[in-house]
Amino acid sequence: HESSERERQAAQTLLFSRVDGLLFCPSQETKEFKFYGAFLRKDIPIVFFDRFGDGLPASRVTCNDYQGAKIAVKYLIERGHKRIAHLGAPAQLSNGQGRLNGYMDALREAGMSIDEDLIRSVNLDQPDVAGEVAKLWNGTPPDAIFCFNDYLAYDLYLALEAKGISIP
């Protein structure tokens, strides 16, 4: 449930259970990774997936969030979209930051300005996508929206459908 406290408790249980290794995706709340050094001091390997924590000598299995976002936004630009919104994760998440940077660089490379009003982030545990849609539609609405993940895209679809907006 994206809780750093629950994550830490679970990790402590695993440490005391003497696991052979840890596959780990940090919660959106996690900002401190020193605790996980206890695994490494006991020669228990850690492999981060999806998101990662800086400062730990651990392996990672991630996608190139930056490049993926950049490709997706360039695709939208090539299709003629001018007001492209970003519905993302909190900026402290490694994958959230990578996708936001890819979004912004694609706009810059196309000579488009970055409109901070079109950049929205939500709590991934309890996203208020409908609230963010209301804010986006408060002025001139976007003509495309880049979403952080499929869950947010689905919530976006439902929020737009409730507003009577058709998605082709």
Side-chain angles (χ1 to χ4, degrees), residues 6-79:
R6 286 185 65 178
E7 172 188 305
R8 190 178 170 102
Q9 290 169 357
Q12 191 165 22
T13 299
L14 292 170
L15 183 63
F16 292 144
S17 298
R18 300 165 65 179
V19 296
D20 292 327
L22 180 66
L23 296 172
F24 176 49
C25 178
S27 79
Q28 71 178 346
E29 291 181 353
T30 302
K31 296 178 180 92
E32 177 61 52
F33 295 92
K34 287 182 183 175
F35 171 79
Y36 296 95
F39 286 88
L40 299 175
R41 287 189 295 278
K42 292 185 179 230
D43 292 323
I44 300 170
I46 297 175
V47 178
F48 287 102
F49 67 92
D50 194 29
R51 306 172 192 160
F52 56 88
D54 286 325
L56 280 179
S59 298
R60 302 177 186 170
V61 178
T62 61
C63 65
N64 189 332
D65 296 296
Y66 171 85
Q67 192 64 28
K70 192 172 175 184
I71 290 168
V73 174
K74 283 175 90 170
Y75 175 85
L76 294 172
I77 293 167
E78 290 166 1
R79 299 298 172 280

Side-chain angles (χ1 to χ4, degrees), residues 133-150:
V133 165
K135 291 174 189 171
L136 287 170
W137 260 256
N138 203 12
T140 305
D143 55 14
I145 302 175
F146 170 76
C147 288
F148 172 77
N149 64 20
D150 291 342

Side-chain angles (χ1 to χ4, degrees), residues 60-108:
R60 302 177 186 170
V61 178
T62 61
C63 65
N64 189 332
D65 296 296
Y66 171 85
Q67 192 64 28
K70 192 172 175 184
I71 290 168
V73 174
K74 283 175 90 170
Y75 175 85
L76 294 172
I77 293 167
E78 290 166 1
R79 299 298 172 280
H81 296 286
K82 303 284 186 219
R83 289 186 49 79
I84 304 169
H86 177 277
L87 183 60
Q92 78 264 16
L93 295 180
S94 56
N95 54 357
Q97 191 60 54
R99 293 173 196 187
L100 177 59
N101 289 341
Y103 160 85
M104 292 191 301
D105 283 353
L107 294 178
R108 285 187 193 108

Side-chain angles (χ1 to χ4, degrees), residues 28 85-90 117-138 142 145-163 165 167:
Q28 71 178 346
H86 177 277
L87 183 60
D117 291 335
L118 293 177
I119 299 174
R120 317 307 285 166
S121 66
V122 296
N123 178 324
L124 296 178
D125 191 33
Q126 297 175 343
D128 180 18
V129 174
E132 294 305 323
V133 165
K135 291 174 189 171
L136 287 170
W137 260 256
N138 203 12
I145 302 175
F146 170 76
C147 288
F148 172 77
N149 64 20
D150 291 342
Y151 298 110
L152 291 184
Y154 180 70
D155 287 350
L156 174 65
Y157 171 81
L158 295 176
L160 292 175
E161 185 178 58
K163 289 181 73 63
I165 297 168
I167 300 175

